[in-house]
Amino acid sequence: MMKFLFAVSLFLFSITHLFAQDFIVKNNDDVIRGTIKGTDYFSVLISANDESDVFLPAKDVKNFFWNGNAFLSKGFANGKNFEYRFVKVMELGAVNLYSFGGGDLVPAAKDRKVRFRPSVGIGAGTGGFGGMGMGGGISIGGGGNARREKPAGASVVRYFIEKPGSGPLQELSVKAITDDNKRAAVRTILLQKLGDAPGFKEKVEYSAEYNIRDVIELVKAYNEVKK
């Protein structure tokens, strides 16, 4: 019996350790495991199998898991162009809440050598975080020097809300709301996303601050009701 319990404990420890490890899910569902060194929300740098650095832009990735947090690749309209960025998952359910930015988290990249190689996949068919996230075609190239400039706008934290099936991501201007127009805009978006659940129209309308803590609690409560 003791041998059996030891074997079970060892198995559970191994599973916990496996899923605690950083990993990236590419567009073709290949998985790269190792140690993620950072992200600037437009790209991610991982030491694949803790051996060689692999640098991936958001358009080539579905999602990744780093330091206990999930990040998804999402498409954003940028003027006439369309670009992919990573967003950090804050709440996930009937309504999703994400954050973008918060400092340049990638190590200094000037003249950094990054060796590109095919994904160190351990199998295909995984959907990542529930199969969510978007990405473009794979474009892993050969070796060379990588010179990265700090992306504009990545240092400011921005928040986005999404209700699958009801349109694209919408930005919530919940920071530094100083006038009634901004407060009304946030209230309108929250009513559109949460107002179909009993009691939530009143909760949204009576929220005074509309800071990110209030929004997180509202979305979390809504997702519990909609389970």
Side-chain angles (χ1 to χ4, degrees):
M1 176 61 72
M2 290 299 295
K3 288 184 178 180
F4 173 75
L5 292 176
F6 176 77
V8 171
S9 300
L10 184 62
F11 172 75
L12 292 176
F13 174 81
S14 299
I15 292 296
T16 303
H17 178 74
L18 176 66
F19 283 97
Q21 186 183 26
D22 299 340
F23 66 85
I24 295 174
V25 181
K26 292 168 52 180
N27 290 334
N28 61 357
D29 290 327
D30 279 353
V31 179
I32 303 176
R33 297 189 184 278
T35 299
I36 290 178
K37 295 185 175 181
T39 180
D40 58 6
Y41 294 91
F42 294 85
S43 56
V44 60
L45 178 65
I46 185 171
S47 178
N49 288 342
D50 295 328
E51 294 176 358
S52 62
D53 287 351
V54 177
F55 173 81
L56 292 169
K59 69 182 181 65
D60 292 346
V61 173
K62 277 187 177 181
N63 46 52
F64 67 89
F65 187 82
W66 178 40
N67 286 341
N69 296 306
F71 293 77
L72 304 181
S73 178
K74 289 286 185 180
F76 287 80
N78 183 14
K80 295 182 179 180
N81 300 318
F82 189 78
E83 66 181 7
Y84 287 92
R85 307 174 186 176
F86 293 119
V87 292
K88 180 179 176 181
V89 175
M90 304 181 70
E91 289 294 330
L92 210 57
V95 168
N96 304 324
L97 191 63
Y98 309 112
S99 65
F100 167 83
D104 186 2
L105 303 180
V106 169
K110 185 177 180 181
D111 295 326
R112 183 182 67 221
K113 272 191 176 180
V114 180
R115 289 176 291 172
F116 291 82
R117 68 178 188 178
S119 128
V120 188
I122 61 168
T126 175
F129 307 108
M132 303 182 71
M134 301 166 61
I138 303 300
S139 58
I140 303 299
N145 291 331
R147 185 184 295 271
R148 293 281 294 155
E149 296 180 358
K150 182 176 179 179
S155 61
V156 178
V157 181
R158 298 165 64 187
Y159 300 96
F160 295 86
I161 193 168
E162 173 188 53
K163 190 172 187 179
S166 68
L169 288 170
Q170 289 182 276
E171 184 167 3
L172 288 172
S173 300
V174 296
K175 296 195 70 176
I177 295 179
T178 57
D179 60 66
D180 290 338
N181 289 333
K182 290 183 178 180
R183 191 173 293 110
V186 172
R187 181 169 59 246
T188 297
I189 293 174
L190 292 177
L191 285 173
Q192 291 172 350
K193 305 301 183 186
L194 313 177
D196 61 330
F200 275 81
K201 182 177 180 181
E202 291 77 12
K203 287 183 180 181
V204 172
E205 288 178 339
Y206 292 139
S207 292
E209 296 297 330
Y210 294 114
N211 58 45
I212 190 58
R213 292 186 298 274
D214 294 337
V215 173
I216 289 173
E217 290 304 315
L218 283 169
V219 173
K220 185 181 295 185
Y222 179 87
N223 286 339
E224 285 294 322
V225 170
K226 289 293 184 176
K227 278 185 177 179

